Amino acid sequence: MKTVWLNEMSWTDVEGYLKKNDIILVPVGSTEEHGPAAPLGLDTYVAIAMAEDAARETGVLCTPPIWFGDSTHHLAFPGTISIKTEILTEYVKDVLRSLARHGFKKIILVNGHKGVNLSALHSATRNVKEFEYQDIFFAVIDPLKIGAEAAKVRKTKEHHAGELEISQILYKYPHLVQKTKLRKEEPDFERRFSKYMKSDLFEGGISIDIPWSSKEQREFTRSGAMSDATKASRRKGETYHNRMVKEMVEFIRWLKRKKA
Amino acid sequence: MKTVWLNEMSWTDVEGYLKKNDIILVPVGSTEEHGPAAPLGLDTYVAIAMAEDAARETGVLCTPPIWFGDSTHHLAFPGTISIKTEILTEYVKDVLRSLARHGFKKIILVNGHKGVNLSALHSATRNVKEFEYQDIFFAVIDPLKIGAEAAKVRKTKEHHAGELEISQILYKYPHLVQKTKLRKEEPDFERRFSKYMKSDLFEGGISIDIPWSSKEQREFTRSGAMSDATKASRRKGETYHNRMVKEMVEFIRWLKRKKA
Amino acid sequence: MKTVWLNEMSWTDVEGYLKKNDIILVPVGSTEEHGPAAPLGLDTYVAIAMAEDAARETGVLCTPPIWFGDSTHHLAFPGTISIKTEILTEYVKDVLRSLARHGFKKIILVNGHKGVNLSALHSATRNVKEFEYQDIFFAVIDPLKIGAEAAKVRKTKEHHAGELEISQILYKYPHLVQKTKLRKEEPDFERRFSKYMKSDLFEGGISIDIPWSSKEQREFTRSGAMSDATKASRRKGETYHNRMVKEMVEFIRWLKRKKA
Amino acid sequence: MKTVWLNEMSWTDVEGYLKKNDIILVPVGSTEEHGPAAPLGLDTYVAIAMAEDAARETGVLCTPPIWFGDSTHHLAFPGTISIKTEILTEYVKDVLRSLARHGFKKIILVNGHKGVNLSALHSATRNVKEFEYQDIFFAVIDPLKIGAEAAKVRKTKEHHAGELEISQILYKYPHLVQKTKLRKEEPDFERRFSKYMKSDLFEGGISIDIPWSSKEQREFTRSGAMSDATKASRRKGETYHNRMVKEMVEFIRWLKRKKA
Amino acid sequence: MKTVWLNEMSWTDVEGYLKKNDIILVPVGSTEEHGPAAPLGLDTYVAIAMAEDAARETGVLCTPPIWFGDSTHHLAFPGTISIKTEILTEYVKDVLRSLARHGFKKIILVNGHKGVNLSALHSATRNVKEFEYQDIFFAVIDPLKIGAEAAKVRKTKEHHAGELEISQILYKYPHLVQKTKLRKEEPDFERRFSKYMKSDLFEGGISIDIPWSSKEQREFTRSGAMSDATKASRRKGETYHNRMVKEMVEFIRWLKRKKA
Amino acid sequence: MKTVWLNEMSWTDVEGYLKKNDIILVPVGSTEEHGPAAPLGLDTYVAIAMAEDAARETGVLCTPPIWFGDSTHHLAFPGTISIKTEILTEYVKDVLRSLARHGFKKIILVNGHKGVNLSALHSATRNVKEFEYQDIFFAVIDPLKIGAEAAKVRKTKEHHAGELEISQILYKYPHLVQKTKLRKEEPDFERRFSKYMKSDLFEGGISIDIPWSSKEQREFTRSGAMSDATKASRRKGETYHNRMVKEMVEFIRWLKRKKA
């Protein structure tokens, strides 16, 4: 297979693929501010890179990416493009339905936009599965969960536009990071949201979910970032990224062996 | 205040409450199978008990409960009543809007249905906050998160209808558990869903989200339960429940001090 | 059967019930102001009491109640929680679908919120029947219709928070009425809405439907009530309530004899 | 004013009208079977005739009619065109919004399709009033309610395609009734739906609402009619129609005097 | 067949028609300003006249018309009644579904509201065909396309309320045009919208689609018209109308010969 | 400006851009079969290439592309991913709203998927403009309209996967065309759909819109193409593409001079 990208193949190529295989990855990202140094498309680049690398390794296909996700709280920063949860849900459902109709039996959403897209992605997969395609295997891969071990490479608290995700972009798309603009910015979440709000996304423990608005976000972070990204490095990105891809590869291999 | 339940008060009582206070709790549960021993309303009873006990302790109000939640995967077991994610989302939004309109400034959803309702509850709170009521403080409390420490009382893997939630009902509503029907049932999640699917809901570590259908659930659990509930006890329920209520109380007290 | 409440039973209990029976009652109420003396949950308490008493008498099941209904015009009074008509409709539809899927063949909505919920309840039952479950028998019971005879016990014009519904609560939930706050309040509907607007909900004759807004309602009734509730009594409540339950029982018995 | 029909006027004519007046009537009907003798458009013709006659008498305007209403239960009879309740509701809402925007302050829906359209019409008027145009006066006129006295002219039980509505068409559109095909057809509602289902739409008394499907309707009425229409006469139609128009005229005159 | 209008027939007449034929026309128009001289219902009259004349000639049926279409940009002129695109789409879908259910196999929408309704009509036909009724033949007829040759009769640039559509009404409904109010009004589209915006709707060539708002429309045309209608004549209307009807007749005849 | 792609910039870069400029292009494509030789992503590549080249030339920004469009009729060919019209509409609306909120005043959709996406794109732009952002200038650019002159370079009838669009890809993305698989396939549209269905998308003249289903499309074209693509050449692609970009550039320059 010369490419893993469905969009680069013709329909007869896909037809050929489906004779032997039934797995496809769908990269879902966002276009939202990631501080003054990192590109607005960061989450989508993460989804693309993770999907592509895992697909290459396992010989499976990827659809083209969904560039716009659920980013309401970032809307006070120019360039952020956000799709409301219920609309993103419906958009993703139609992608799943199209793939299911062609005979893809195992469909994996690869979410580059940690956490926040999950309302839409869980709702889409759970409801399409129950009410339309009971026999399709759906999965949602998210760095917050697949990266539980990989994240240990960080030295600082990881939050939005933090050490880990900046490192990952430095590794895969170094030209897109304006390194001189990387900052340490650590909002005082506890004062605003109580001790039940985590300032590190990978940290376990007791917590309560508290949404904030774009207006509030603009108030508590001047730069749009919420971590110390000055510790980011290409090396850490390599470690973090590759470990997550390794887990994905292991999962996809298991899936290939699994009978439908 | 003689009662914490808004439904038992008249509107003038609520008007009086709002002159001094601005917090309200909204219990959200489900009506879904919890094995042959436990009541279909278990999740709602959990939400009611946690909300009521925390409200009593802090002198805040509770709305009446939402008895029907997002339970699609349980629909193959008689008695389960499930609301699709997008409809539950809209229903909850209208509850939030009504409360916001009256002047409640801090609205806390108390979810007794671990995890699965969160797509709807997050979507509802996040979008109402961003697009309609930027100045209201919303929070979502869920046993899976507020109970991270409390859950340590368990001896077995906690999953659906497991040791912890049965214990909690034994503590608060003992007449609703048919103890002789409690069973140990531990589906082989790993075989079906890979090692990336947790068999203990409170366990951390690397994971991938994989929805299953009601048909599949009927296949992999005969009883509808997915844990060993034979270890449940009133004592454990007391410990587990009270610890979570304690965290809620601490959070509500912090919230009372916080300026709007 | 120890309980009529599905939420108190396990799924195997419901499975057992469905082997011999196929009727279920769904109480639908509201959480809306009922004047300074009566509880916000009045309509739901009415639905619960009527459903429970009829179910006990006939040995059929009840689902847990829907506490939030269509109460837009009461929204200017604190504590009212209203669901927009189209959302309530969809919520009810999913309850009906869940029950139909389990094999309930005769599903009866018991509406405690006279009249106003009917847009949603009729729309839900009519469309689910025609487009999804043609073979299920649906019915909607409403005090305004089942109580046509029972209402004759009143001495004053019955409107919102009036003699009859206060009496019914005095009979079934006496601790929830603050009797000293009962008032006579009779808005001049004719001046505002013409002679075609009835000031007694049970009165027949020529009429025109005219919706009012919450703002208008706040203007034309200081207390939120629209009748003379000072004539309410536990005795009248007993007569009114029991006569309606008697009709329900008769209907349910007929339904039990009817072949699907 | 040469015409009462907005569709026949230019926008400058409407602009002129709005300088002095602010009332408009919106005829809403259905296109559904009315037995072998009467036209499918009967309900819309009724709405048109009532609106036009009342408008002429009072000098107010009418919009063009809505020909397709909520007729799901008639769909097994060829020619019936039905709009689902929630779609009709939204369609009507946009009509109301357009009129409100132009400065119409008193908007009256005239429903020719007795009863069944009311879910949509009530939902549309109530919600547009509460959430969008609090200062507009909305009303819904329906023969079942405005005709409570007028209906006394009937000799037989009035139900679908019955003596009264056939008479009304005989009076206003005689060429549209194929008189030789008029039949007496009286389904046994009691056997099918219990004694709580009325066989006369204008009859008061205890009742329960029971929807039926189009399949059932096809079974219980061969002709599609549900009454004895052989007693219909132009004379009765004249009496019935004119009495209803008289009430409408009285209402509109009251409305003209009423301050906004 | 005495009438082509389904609304004038009984269901048994339609049943008879369907035994031999399977084509039906659905006139869709708008109620929107057409300048000070022409009626608000112009587009619907056009749809009615074209459908009726083609139906008479070919012996096929017409449904009653849809009077309210997608006219957002005209909303600043009194009398315009506009349905939002997505609601009109759903309304039309239900009309198509009803007809398909009865056995109509070839359903033709006749759009009198040039162009703008097409988003809704295309969306409705395309999606109902693909996802619900694959075997029904749908078509959308629009003067902008069927009239490509017929329009050559014009002497001036044809835009909203222009020479051609005024002529067509003068031919079919002369009493509805207030001829003394016809004006020449030619907004400077190029200045506002660039040279890529056509000032003649039938003109080919390079173009870009640019929507304008009702506020803008009110600014760039005082009269609401956008052409020179002073050149309109009954004769031109006859030529224009009849040529389009001739094409429709040819198409319907082809359709009658075509096997389903 | 080093890049025209918003996704490659940080939010502060966009903030800087907005201080001097207010134009942005949004490429919208599809992922649908384009015969055995061309890539599924063809329409999106077209949108990307046209947007990027015009943006480079004029110094304006592009958002990342929307890869999935309205392609229902192609769903019988593997790899096609289609979003239903109403969902695509809502998705695009949220993109427009996000951009409008940041201060983009002139938003141009560049549609690479000729024609079929227009229902959604017109509905989105028209309704967001009228009901939410009256002061934003929206435009929709489509090859079928901007390419009216450019298309003259073709030698054969241009339809799906035809000479022109294949040439355009050969020019911009030559590695994505499998030239040896290019075929001449010309479905007999006239036999299936009458002479009113064009076999050349750029041809003018009398026409009627007739949607077909994916099942039908699979029947009338074996390869999925509907033209003679064997005449495609890089040279023609260059001429065709550059002419369209030239028009876009001219339009954008006009827009830059235009006052908001």
Side-chain angles (χ1 to χ4, degrees), chain A residues 110-169:
Chain A
V110 180
N111 179 33
H113 177 26
K114 291 192 203 80
V116 189
N117 274 350
L118 292 183
S119 291
L121 303 188
H122 286 165
S123 175
T125 50
R126 201 162 53 221
N127 288 285
V128 168
K129 180 163 184 75
E130 178 64 23
F131 297 108
E132 302 179 53
Y133 289 97
Q134 290 234 357
D135 296 331
I136 306 293
F137 185 102
F138 296 101
V140 181
I141 288 176
D142 188 287
L144 281 183
K145 300 189 177 182
I146 195 101
E149 286 299 316
K152 291 181 175 165
V153 70
R154 75 192 185 283
K155 296 296 180 206
T156 60
K157 289 181 178 179
E158 176 73 9
H159 210 290
H160 185 68
E163 179 185 352
L164 285 178
E165 60 185 16
I166 300 294
S167 295
Q168 194 174 9
I169 295 298

Side-chain angles (χ1 to χ4, degrees), chain D residues 170-226:
Chain D
L170 279 173
Y171 169 51
K172 298 293 298 186
Y173 305 88
H175 63 294
L176 295 180
V177 182
Q178 304 173 53
K179 291 188 67 168
T180 58
K181 296 188 183 166
L182 288 170
R183 292 283 176 282
K184 173 175 179 175
E185 171 136 5
E186 294 180 320
D188 186 348
F189 285 124
E190 183 166 342
R191 194 180 56 78
R192 278 202 168 248
F193 300 117
S194 84
K195 67 175 183 182
Y196 295 94
M197 167 69 80
K198 298 169 180 177
S199 55
D200 182 311
L201 296 172
F202 286 96
E203 187 195 332
I206 304 171
S207 69
I208 289 174
D209 292 319
I210 300 166
W212 61 70
S213 70
S214 62
K215 195 181 74 173
E216 288 169 349
Q217 182 168 315
R218 190 82 208 207
E219 288 162 14
F220 71 65
T221 165
R222 289 182 71 87
S223 72
M226 308 179 197

Side-chain angles (χ1 to χ4, degrees), chain C:
Chain C
M1 208 163 61
K2 275 180 294 185
T3 176
V4 299
W5 293 105
L6 178 140
N7 41 303
E8 297 187 344
M9 302 164 78
S10 76
W11 73 266
T12 51
D13 299 334
V14 176
E15 190 180 48
Y17 174 84
L18 279 165
K19 285 182 183 146
K20 303 186 203 153
N21 210 325
D22 56 6
I23 299 181
I24 193 160
L25 311 184
V26 183
V28 187
S30 81
T31 296
E32 69 177 33
E33 66 91 358
H34 278 81
L40 284 145
L42 187 146
D43 292 343
T44 313
Y45 289 116
V46 163
I48 289 172
M50 287 173 63
E52 186 172 42
D53 289 356
R56 284 244 167 79
E57 187 86 7
T58 55
V60 302
L61 269 192
C62 299
T63 71
I66 296 177
W67 279 93
F68 306 126
D70 189 342
S71 305
T72 53
H73 46 311
H74 293 284
L75 276 168
F77 289 87
T80 300
I81 295 173
S82 179
I83 308 297
K84 278 189 283 293
T85 318
E86 65 269 27
I87 300 175
L88 181 60
T89 305
E90 292 305 315
Y91 192 81
V92 171
K93 278 183 182 174
D94 262 8
V95 175
L96 302 179
R97 288 170 183 133
S98 298
L99 296 171
R101 188 164 160 170
H102 296 315
F104 289 98
K105 294 294 183 199
K106 296 153 182 171
I107 303 172
I108 304 173
L109 299 176
V110 180
N111 179 33
H113 178 26
K114 291 192 202 81
V116 188
N117 274 350
L118 292 183
S119 291
L121 303 188
H122 286 164
S123 176
T125 49
R126 200 162 54 219
N127 288 285
V128 168
K129 180 163 185 75
E130 178 63 24
F131 296 109
E132 302 179 53
Y133 289 98
Q134 291 235 356
D135 296 331
I136 305 294
F137 186 102
F138 296 101
V140 181
I141 288 176
D142 188 287
L144 281 182
K145 300 188 176 182
I146 195 102
E149 286 298 316
K152 290 180 176 165
V153 71
R154 76 193 183 282
K155 296 297 181 205
T156 60
K157 290 181 178 180
E158 176 72 10
H159 209 291
H160 185 68
E163 179 186 353
L164 285 178
E165 61 185 15
I166 300 295
S167 295
Q168 194 174 10
I169 295 299
L170 279 173
Y171 169 51
K172 297 293 298 185
Y173 305 88
H175 63 294
L176 297 181
V177 181
Q178 303 174 54
K179 291 187 69 169
T180 58
K181 296 187 184 165
L182 287 171
R183 291 283 176 282
K184 174 176 179 175
E185 169 134 7
E186 294 180 320
D188 187 348
F189 285 124
E190 183 165 342
R191 194 180 56 78
R192 279 201 167 248
F193 300 117
S194 84
K195 68 175 183 182
Y196 295 95
M197 167 68 81
K198 298 168 180 177
S199 55
D200 182 312
L201 296 172
F202 286 96
E203 185 194 333
I206 303 171
S207 69
I208 289 174
D209 291 320
I210 300 164
W212 61 69
S213 70
S214 62
K215 194 180 75 173
E216 287 168 349
Q217 182 169 312
R218 190 83 210 207
E219 289 162 13
F220 71 67
T221 164
R222 289 182 71 87
S223 72
M226 308 178 197
S227 297
D228 179 1
T230 60
K231 297 291 181 295
S233 74
R234 187 162 177 167
R235 175 74 54 99
K236 282 178 199 157
E238 185 174 4
T239 306
Y240 172 63
H241 177 81
N242 288 346
R243 172 66 194 270
M244 290 195 290
V245 170
K246 185 176 156 293
E247 304 291 349
M248 290 172 67
V249 166
E250 204 162 325
F251 177 63
I252 294 168
R253 288 196 175 132
W254 175 85
L255 213 46
K256 285 183 136 181
R257 292 190 304 269
K258 182 180 165 63
K259 280 182 284 189

Side-chain angles (χ1 to χ4, degrees), chain B residues 119-131:
Chain B
S119 291
L121 304 188
H122 286 165
S123 176
T125 49
R126 200 162 54 221
N127 288 285
V128 168
K129 179 163 185 76
E130 177 64 25
F131 297 108

Side-chain angles (χ1 to χ4, degrees), chain B residues 245-256:
Chain B
V245 170
K246 185 178 156 290
E247 302 292 349
M248 290 172 67
V249 166
E250 205 163 323
F251 177 64
I252 294 167
R253 288 198 174 129
W254 175 86
L255 213 48
K256 284 183 136 179

